Amino acid sequence: MQIDLHTHSTASDGRLTPAELVALAAQAGVDVLALTDHDGIGGLDEARQCALDAGIQFINGIELSVTWNKRTVHIVGLNFDCDHAPLQAGIQRLQDFREVRAREIASKLDSAGIKGAYDGAKRFSGGKMLGRMHFANFLVDAGYAKNVRSVFKKYLVNNKPGHVTGDWATLEEAVSWITQAGGVAVIAHPARYKLTRTKLRKLIKGFIAAGGQAMEVVSGSHCVNEVKTMACHANDFDLYASSGSDFHDPDFPWIKLGQLPDLPEKCRPVWDLF
Ligand code: AMP
Ligand code: MN
Ligand code: MN
Ligand code: MN
């Protein structure tokens, strides 16, 4: 079974439309797929329909932006009811903040001599959710760096000219929006935050206290050792384990759709809950 429970489409900062993503998933032999766009569920209907046609089991997903201990962490939600009002209101609030932040990023870039970044990023977002990836695309296109990776380092992260501090949902809010809508909350790519062991365990404890049930053990951004470490944490805390590529773009060779290693044997797969 090939299972991929963390992917992006043009409904956030992915490069493929939901239909194209599902087509690629089918080609890659994916059996179970979740679309988890940042702070939005606008791609789910199209993806679900295409998955049905392709014989892929589809799971509603989202990746919520959270501010925890003054840093940004991501909480994936899986298998929730899209019509739940508090979830929709939460999403709206995050989208509103994205708009405010985008204006602020553009104004900071403007002060650094880079003009027209808001409209430029908007062109790449197709008028949908605005994220740093769209600013990165604009900056690369305008010749400020040779690729998305280097442009992030140069302009869009902490202490760089286009960085704006996040003011996202609290951990408790994000987890409750998901669980109240009948879904499962999952800590996304836990190794990416580069937390000390103590801090990571603090995050996990807060997450569980809020009602969270799972964490990504296998992730496109985890190396083999990180998978082992995260499997130990998941088991210590009796969390279910998830597996997702965090696929964004077929031209990013370092992350492939639906080609993930199996979960370590001792893990309890999150899909047992679906
Ligand atoms: P945002 O939620 O708008 O702040 O954007 C976060 C997204 O930007 C992540 O989901 C990635 O898609 C992308 N991203 C963040 N950091 C980097 C990086 N260093 N290199 C490439 N992409 C990045
Ligand atoms: Mn992204
Ligand atoms: Mn993420
Ligand atoms: Mn992601």
Side-chain angles (χ1 to χ4, degrees), residues 8 13 38 133 248:
H8 295 273
D13 60 0
H38 297 285
M133 186 75 88
H248 281 76

Side-chain angles (χ1 to χ4, degrees), residues 76-93:
V76 159
L78 297 174
N79 210 29
F80 49 80
D81 168 14
C82 292
D83 293 330
H84 190 71
L87 172 65
Q88 290 177 346
I91 291 171
Q92 189 56 52
R93 197 181 100 200

Side-chain angles (χ1 to χ4, degrees), residues 6 8 12-14 38-39 63 65 72 74 98 101 105 129-136 148-153 156-157 164 168 189 192 246 248 252 254:
H6 188 153
H8 295 273
S12 65
D13 60 0
H38 297 285
D39 307 323
E63 182 174 18
S65 307
T72 299
H74 287 166
R98 282 189 172 277
R101 184 188 68 154
I105 291 173
M129 182 219 86
L130 257 179
R132 280 185 294 164
M133 186 75 88
H134 306 115
F135 281 93
V148 161
R149 268 190 165 178
S150 56
V151 100
F152 261 90
K153 266 193 214 142
L156 298 171
V157 295
V164 175
W168 305 110
H189 42 60
R192 266 246 293 271
D246 205 3
H248 281 76
F252 295 172
W254 59 93

